Amino acid sequence: MSDIQIERADGVLEIRFNRPAKKNAITNAMYGAMADALESGATDAQIRAILFTAAGDFFTAGNDLVDFAAQSSGAFEGPRHVSRFLQRFIEAEKPIVAAVQGNAVGVGVTMLLHCDLVYIAENARLTTPFIDLGLVPENASSLTLVDRVGHARAFAMLGLAEPLLGRDAAACGLANAALAAAEVEPRARSAAQALAKKPAESLRLTKNLMRNRERLMLRMQEEGELFAERLKSPEAAAAFAAFLGRR
Ligand code: COA
Protein backbone atom coordinates (compact mmCIF):
# COMPACT_ATOMS: atom_id res chain seq x y z
CA MET A 1 0.00 0.00 0.00
CA SER A 2 1.35 3.41 -0.97
CA ASP A 3 2.38 5.92 1.70
CA ILE A 4 0.21 8.48 -0.11
CA GLN A 5 -3.19 7.34 -1.26
CA ILE A 6 -4.96 9.34 -3.93
CA GLU A 7 -8.66 9.06 -4.61
CA ARG A 8 -11.06 10.99 -6.80
CA ALA A 9 -14.78 10.98 -5.99
CA ASP A 10 -17.67 13.45 -6.13
CA GLY A 11 -15.45 16.17 -7.60
CA VAL A 12 -12.99 15.89 -4.69
CA LEU A 13 -9.33 14.91 -4.98
CA GLU A 14 -8.41 13.22 -1.71
CA ILE A 15 -4.76 13.01 -0.67
CA ARG A 16 -4.29 10.67 2.28
CA PHE A 17 -1.19 10.27 4.45
CA ASN A 18 -0.88 6.50 4.78
CA ARG A 19 2.27 5.74 6.72
CA PRO A 20 0.80 5.29 10.19
CA ALA A 21 3.64 3.09 11.54
CA LYS A 22 5.89 6.17 11.18
CA LYS A 23 3.23 8.61 12.36
CA ASN A 24 2.77 9.63 8.71
CA ALA A 25 6.20 11.32 8.62
CA ILE A 26 6.60 12.68 5.09
CA THR A 27 9.43 11.38 2.92
CA ASN A 28 10.77 12.95 -0.25
CA ALA A 29 8.85 10.38 -2.32
CA MET A 30 5.63 11.30 -0.49
CA TYR A 31 6.15 15.02 -1.27
CA GLY A 32 6.66 14.01 -4.91
CA ALA A 33 3.43 11.99 -5.00
CA MET A 34 1.48 14.85 -3.40
CA ALA A 35 2.98 17.46 -5.76
CA ASP A 36 2.03 15.27 -8.75
CA ALA A 37 -1.52 14.92 -7.39
CA LEU A 38 -1.88 18.68 -6.89
CA GLU A 39 -0.59 19.29 -10.42
CA SER A 40 -3.04 16.84 -11.96
CA GLY A 41 -5.89 18.17 -9.80
CA ALA A 42 -5.18 21.73 -10.96
CA THR A 43 -5.79 20.86 -14.62
CA ASP A 44 -8.59 18.29 -14.18
CA ALA A 45 -11.94 20.03 -14.67
CA GLN A 46 -13.71 17.17 -12.85
CA ILE A 47 -11.82 18.06 -9.67
CA ARG A 48 -13.40 20.99 -7.83
CA ALA A 49 -11.89 20.66 -4.32
CA ILE A 50 -8.95 19.01 -2.58
CA LEU A 51 -9.14 17.13 0.71
CA PHE A 52 -6.22 16.09 2.93
CA THR A 53 -6.83 13.17 5.30
CA ALA A 54 -4.63 10.80 7.28
CA ALA A 55 -4.63 7.16 8.40
CA GLY A 56 -3.96 6.24 12.02
CA ASP A 57 -3.81 8.36 15.16
CA PHE A 58 -1.43 11.06 13.89
CA PHE A 59 -2.17 13.58 11.14
CA THR A 60 1.54 13.75 10.36
CA ALA A 61 4.80 13.95 12.33
CA GLY A 62 6.12 16.33 9.67
CA ASN A 63 9.16 15.93 7.51
CA ASP A 64 10.86 12.54 7.79
CA LEU A 65 13.88 13.11 10.02
CA VAL A 66 15.87 10.32 8.35
CA ASP A 67 15.54 12.32 5.12
CA PHE A 68 16.51 15.53 6.94
CA ALA A 69 19.59 13.81 8.39
CA ALA A 70 20.62 12.60 4.91
CA GLN A 71 20.10 16.09 3.47
CA SER A 72 22.06 17.56 6.36
CA SER A 73 25.07 15.28 5.87
CA GLY A 74 25.05 15.56 2.06
CA ALA A 75 24.17 11.85 1.67
CA PHE A 76 20.90 12.67 -0.07
CA GLU A 77 20.84 12.43 -3.86
CA GLY A 78 18.21 13.31 -6.45
CA PRO A 79 15.56 16.01 -6.66
CA ARG A 80 13.97 17.29 -3.44
CA HIS A 81 10.22 17.41 -4.01
CA VAL A 82 9.25 19.41 -0.93
CA SER A 83 9.57 22.83 -2.61
CA ARG A 84 7.43 21.73 -5.57
CA PHE A 85 4.78 20.45 -3.16
CA LEU A 86 4.74 23.66 -1.12
CA GLN A 87 4.63 25.82 -4.26
CA ARG A 88 1.71 23.86 -5.73
CA PHE A 89 -0.08 24.23 -2.41
CA ILE A 90 0.32 28.02 -2.41
CA GLU A 91 -0.58 28.26 -6.11
CA ALA A 92 -3.70 26.08 -5.79
CA GLU A 93 -6.79 27.85 -7.11
CA LYS A 94 -9.19 25.11 -6.00
CA PRO A 95 -10.22 25.09 -2.35
CA ILE A 96 -8.24 22.89 0.03
CA VAL A 97 -9.82 21.25 3.08
CA ALA A 98 -7.93 19.39 5.83
CA ALA A 99 -9.19 16.70 8.21
CA VAL A 100 -6.76 16.80 11.14
CA GLN A 101 -7.83 13.79 13.19
CA GLY A 102 -4.68 13.72 15.37
CA ASN A 103 -1.44 15.50 16.21
CA ALA A 104 0.49 17.41 13.59
CA VAL A 105 4.13 18.52 13.63
CA GLY A 106 6.14 20.92 11.47
CA VAL A 107 4.94 20.99 7.88
CA GLY A 108 1.83 19.15 9.07
CA VAL A 109 0.95 22.40 10.83
CA THR A 110 2.29 24.92 8.33
CA MET A 111 0.31 23.34 5.47
CA LEU A 112 -2.90 23.99 7.44
CA LEU A 113 -2.16 27.71 7.25
CA HIS A 114 -2.69 27.52 3.46
CA CYS A 115 -5.87 25.45 3.68
CA ASP A 116 -9.25 27.09 3.18
CA LEU A 117 -11.13 24.94 5.68
CA VAL A 118 -9.60 23.00 8.59
CA TYR A 119 -11.49 20.54 10.81
CA ILE A 120 -9.51 19.30 13.78
CA ALA A 121 -9.81 16.89 16.69
CA GLU A 122 -10.31 18.88 19.88
CA ASN A 123 -7.40 17.08 21.62
CA ALA A 124 -5.00 17.21 18.66
CA ARG A 125 -1.71 18.95 19.41
CA LEU A 126 -0.12 21.18 16.79
CA THR A 127 3.62 21.69 17.25
CA THR A 128 6.22 23.58 15.23
CA PRO A 129 9.63 22.60 16.73
CA PHE A 130 11.77 24.17 13.98
CA ILE A 131 14.05 25.97 16.43
CA ASP A 132 14.57 22.85 18.56
CA LEU A 133 15.72 21.14 15.35
CA GLY A 134 18.19 23.96 14.59
CA LEU A 135 16.00 25.10 11.67
CA VAL A 136 13.80 28.09 10.84
CA PRO A 137 10.09 28.14 9.94
CA GLU A 138 9.16 27.14 6.38
CA ASN A 139 6.23 27.31 3.98
CA ALA A 140 5.79 31.06 4.68
CA SER A 141 4.71 30.18 8.22
CA SER A 142 6.71 33.05 9.70
CA LEU A 143 3.97 35.17 8.08
CA THR A 144 0.93 32.91 8.04
CA LEU A 145 1.17 31.68 11.62
CA VAL A 146 1.36 35.26 12.89
CA ASP A 147 -1.55 36.20 10.61
CA ARG A 148 -3.68 33.34 11.94
CA VAL A 149 -2.91 33.28 15.66
CA GLY A 150 -1.16 36.60 16.43
CA HIS A 151 2.49 37.23 17.33
CA ALA A 152 2.34 36.16 21.00
CA ARG A 153 0.88 32.73 20.36
CA ALA A 154 2.92 32.25 17.17
CA PHE A 155 6.13 33.01 19.04
CA ALA A 156 5.25 30.58 21.83
CA MET A 157 4.74 27.91 19.16
CA LEU A 158 7.90 28.72 17.22
CA GLY A 159 10.20 29.89 20.02
CA LEU A 160 9.14 27.52 22.82
CA ALA A 161 7.63 24.74 20.65
CA GLU A 162 4.49 25.06 22.77
CA PRO A 163 1.67 22.92 21.39
CA LEU A 164 -1.59 24.49 20.28
CA LEU A 165 -4.55 22.27 21.13
CA GLY A 166 -7.24 21.61 18.52
CA ARG A 167 -9.89 23.35 20.57
CA ASP A 168 -7.67 26.46 20.91
CA ALA A 169 -6.87 26.31 17.18
CA ALA A 170 -10.59 26.58 16.46
CA ALA A 171 -11.06 29.31 19.08
CA CYS A 172 -8.31 31.49 17.59
CA GLY A 173 -9.26 31.02 13.93
CA LEU A 174 -6.63 28.54 12.75
CA ALA A 175 -9.35 25.92 12.32
CA ASN A 176 -13.06 26.06 11.49
CA ALA A 177 -14.23 23.57 14.10
CA ALA A 178 -12.81 21.33 16.82
CA LEU A 179 -14.63 18.01 16.95
CA ALA A 180 -14.42 14.51 18.40
CA ALA A 181 -11.66 12.72 16.44
CA ALA A 182 -14.09 10.32 14.74
CA GLU A 183 -16.19 13.20 13.42
CA VAL A 184 -13.32 15.09 11.80
CA GLU A 185 -12.96 13.23 8.52
CA PRO A 186 -16.69 12.91 7.71
CA ARG A 187 -17.20 16.61 8.45
CA ALA A 188 -14.24 17.65 6.30
CA ARG A 189 -15.32 15.35 3.46
CA SER A 190 -18.84 16.73 3.43
CA ALA A 191 -17.45 20.31 3.40
CA ALA A 192 -15.20 19.41 0.44
CA GLN A 193 -18.14 17.80 -1.38
CA ALA A 194 -20.25 20.91 -0.74
CA LEU A 195 -17.49 23.12 -2.17
CA ALA A 196 -17.27 20.83 -5.21
CA LYS A 197 -20.90 21.64 -6.02
CA LYS A 198 -20.46 25.44 -5.89
CA PRO A 199 -20.01 27.54 -9.06
CA ALA A 200 -16.36 26.73 -9.79
CA GLU A 201 -15.33 30.01 -11.40
CA SER A 202 -16.86 32.11 -8.63
CA LEU A 203 -15.07 29.99 -6.05
CA ARG A 204 -11.76 30.30 -7.91
CA LEU A 205 -12.03 34.09 -8.18
CA THR A 206 -13.00 34.41 -4.53
CA LYS A 207 -10.09 32.29 -3.31
CA ASN A 208 -7.73 34.31 -5.51
CA LEU A 209 -9.03 37.57 -4.04
CA MET A 210 -8.51 36.25 -0.53
CA ARG A 211 -4.85 35.28 -0.99
CA ASN A 212 -1.74 37.32 -1.67
CA ARG A 213 0.33 34.60 -3.35
CA GLU A 214 3.15 36.94 -4.33
CA ARG A 215 3.76 37.86 -0.69
CA LEU A 216 3.58 34.21 0.37
CA MET A 217 5.96 33.00 -2.35
CA LEU A 218 8.46 35.72 -1.55
CA ARG A 219 8.49 34.82 2.14
CA MET A 220 8.72 31.12 1.33
CA GLN A 221 11.75 31.83 -0.82
CA GLU A 222 13.43 33.89 1.95
CA GLU A 223 12.75 31.18 4.51
CA GLY A 224 13.85 28.46 2.06
CA GLU A 225 17.33 29.96 1.65
CA LEU A 226 17.82 30.13 5.42
CA PHE A 227 16.30 26.68 5.88
CA ALA A 228 18.74 25.14 3.38
CA GLU A 229 21.66 26.73 5.26
CA ARG A 230 20.31 25.62 8.64
CA LEU A 231 19.81 22.04 7.44
CA LYS A 232 23.58 21.78 7.12
CA SER A 233 24.32 23.50 10.44
CA PRO A 234 25.93 21.71 13.41
CA GLU A 235 22.81 22.55 15.49
CA ALA A 236 20.55 20.73 13.06
CA ALA A 237 22.93 17.79 12.66
CA ALA A 238 22.99 17.37 16.46
CA ALA A 239 19.18 17.48 16.68
CA PHE A 240 18.72 14.89 13.92
CA ALA A 241 21.37 12.62 15.47
CA ALA A 242 19.63 12.88 18.85
CA PHE A 243 16.29 11.79 17.31
CA LEU A 244 17.81 8.94 15.31
CA GLY A 245 19.91 7.74 18.25
CA ARG A 246 17.21 7.91 20.91
CA ARG A 247 16.64 4.13 21.11
N1 COA B 1 10.65 11.20 10.83
C1 COA B 1 10.96 9.89 10.77
N2 COA B 1 10.41 8.95 11.58
C2 COA B 1 9.52 9.39 12.48
C3 COA B 1 9.15 10.72 12.60
C4 COA B 1 9.76 11.65 11.72
N3 COA B 1 9.44 12.95 11.72
N4 COA B 1 8.25 10.84 13.59
C5 COA B 1 8.04 9.61 14.07
N5 COA B 1 8.82 8.72 13.39
C6 COA B 1 8.90 7.27 13.59
C7 COA B 1 9.68 6.92 14.84
O1 COA B 1 11.06 6.90 14.57
C8 COA B 1 9.12 5.55 15.16
O2 COA B 1 9.71 4.62 14.28
P1 COA B 1 10.17 3.16 14.85
O3 COA B 1 8.92 2.57 15.43
O4 COA B 1 10.68 2.45 13.63
O5 COA B 1 11.20 3.44 15.89
C9 COA B 1 7.66 5.68 14.76
O6 COA B 1 7.58 6.76 13.84
C10 COA B 1 6.74 5.97 15.91
O7 COA B 1 7.22 7.16 16.56
P2 COA B 1 7.44 7.25 18.15
O8 COA B 1 8.44 8.32 18.40
O9 COA B 1 7.71 5.89 18.71
O10 COA B 1 5.98 7.72 18.62
P3 COA B 1 5.63 8.67 19.84
O11 COA B 1 4.14 8.68 19.89
O12 COA B 1 6.40 8.30 21.05
O13 COA B 1 6.14 10.13 19.39
C11 COA B 1 6.38 12.00 17.93
C12 COA B 1 5.62 10.71 18.21
C13 COA B 1 5.88 12.53 16.59
C14 COA B 1 6.13 13.01 19.04
C15 COA B 1 7.89 11.73 17.86
O14 COA B 1 8.09 10.59 17.02
C16 COA B 1 8.66 12.87 17.29
O15 COA B 1 9.00 13.79 18.00
N6 COA B 1 8.97 12.82 15.97
C17 COA B 1 9.71 13.86 15.32
C18 COA B 1 8.80 15.00 14.90
C19 COA B 1 9.58 16.09 14.21
O16 COA B 1 10.46 16.69 14.77
N7 COA B 1 9.25 16.31 12.91
C20 COA B 1 9.92 17.26 12.08
C21 COA B 1 9.28 18.60 12.22
S1 COA B 1 10.06 19.83 11.21
Side-chain angles (χ1 to χ4, degrees), residues 19-26 57-58 60-68 103 105-107 127-130 133 135 138 227 240 243-244 246-247:
R19 198 188 178 210
K22 296 286 184 185
K23 305 287 176 194
N24 293 324
I26 308 173
D57 61 347
F58 243 75
T60 165
N63 201 103
D64 188 283
L65 289 179
V66 178
D67 275 12
F68 263 172
N103 297 353
V105 186
V107 69
T127 43
T128 48
F130 299 111
L133 290 169
L135 302 170
E138 37 70 322
F227 197 97
F240 303 149
F243 179 78
L244 299 181
R246 65 197 171 134
R247 286 202 171 85

Side-chain angles (χ1 to χ4, degrees), residues 5 25 32 65 71 76 78 97 100 124 150 153 175 190 196 198 200 213 217 220 227 237 239:
Q5 274 180 301
L65 289 179
Q71 288 158 12
F76 178 84
V97 182
V100 187
R153 214 187 289 246
S190 87
K198 300 282 180 191
R213 291 196 182 81
M217 286 293 194
M220 188 163 76
F227 197 97

Side-chain angles (χ1 to χ4, degrees), residues 23-247:
K23 305 287 176 194
N24 293 324
I26 308 173
T27 60
N28 190 51
M30 290 164 72
Y31 284 120
M34 293 193 291
D36 291 347
L38 289 176
E39 282 167 11
S40 79
T43 54
D44 181 346
Q46 302 299 313
I47 295 300
R48 310 275 289 269
I50 295 150
L51 172 65
F52 277 87
T53 58
D57 61 347
F58 243 75
F59 182 62
T60 165
N63 201 103
D64 188 283
L65 289 179
V66 178
D67 275 12
F68 263 172
Q71 288 158 12
S72 173
S73 68
F76 178 84
E77 284 176 10
R80 281 185 75 214
H81 295 298
V82 58
S83 315
R84 188 164 62 93
F85 167 67
L86 298 177
Q87 273 172 25
R88 297 301 169 266
F89 214 108
I90 289 181
E91 286 164 3
E93 294 195 296
K94 297 177 184 180
I96 306 183
V97 182
V100 187
Q101 90 296 4
N103 297 353
V105 186
V107 69
V109 177
T110 64
M111 63 182 273
L112 304 180
L113 307 168
H114 296 290
C115 289
D116 300 295
L117 295 173
V118 175
Y119 297 94
I120 190 165
E122 46 202 357
N123 295 329
R125 290 156 64 93
L126 304 180
T127 43
T128 48
F130 299 111
I131 291 174
D132 289 352
L133 290 169
L135 302 170
V136 292
E138 37 70 322
N139 200 8
S141 59
S142 57
L143 271 182
T144 53
L145 191 60
V146 178
D147 286 351
R148 287 275 184 122
V149 305
H151 183 89
R153 214 187 289 246
F155 204 84
M157 290 178 74
L158 293 170
L160 297 173
E162 263 183 21
L164 182 70
L165 279 178
R167 66 178 75 92
D168 296 329
C172 73
L174 193 154
N176 293 79
L179 306 161
E183 291 170 20
V184 169
E185 195 175 304
R187 176 76 174 273
R189 184 167 292 108
S190 87
Q193 287 167 347
L195 287 170
K197 293 194 183 92
K198 300 282 180 191
E201 183 59 5
S202 233
L203 196 53
R204 187 184 74 81
L205 292 169
T206 301
K207 174 162 172 162
N208 285 349
L209 286 166
M210 290 173 74
R211 288 172 64 75
N212 185 338
R213 291 196 182 81
E214 206 177 326
R215 174 174 175 257
L216 295 169
M217 286 293 194
L218 192 63
R219 178 57 61 96
M220 188 163 76
Q221 222 168 351
E222 287 169 353
E223 290 172 349
E225 284 166 20
L226 293 171
F227 197 97
E229 279 172 28
R230 296 304 303 163
L231 256 184
K232 296 189 183 302
S233 70
E235 287 174 348
F240 303 149
F243 179 78
L244 299 181
R246 65 197 171 134
R247 286 202 171 85

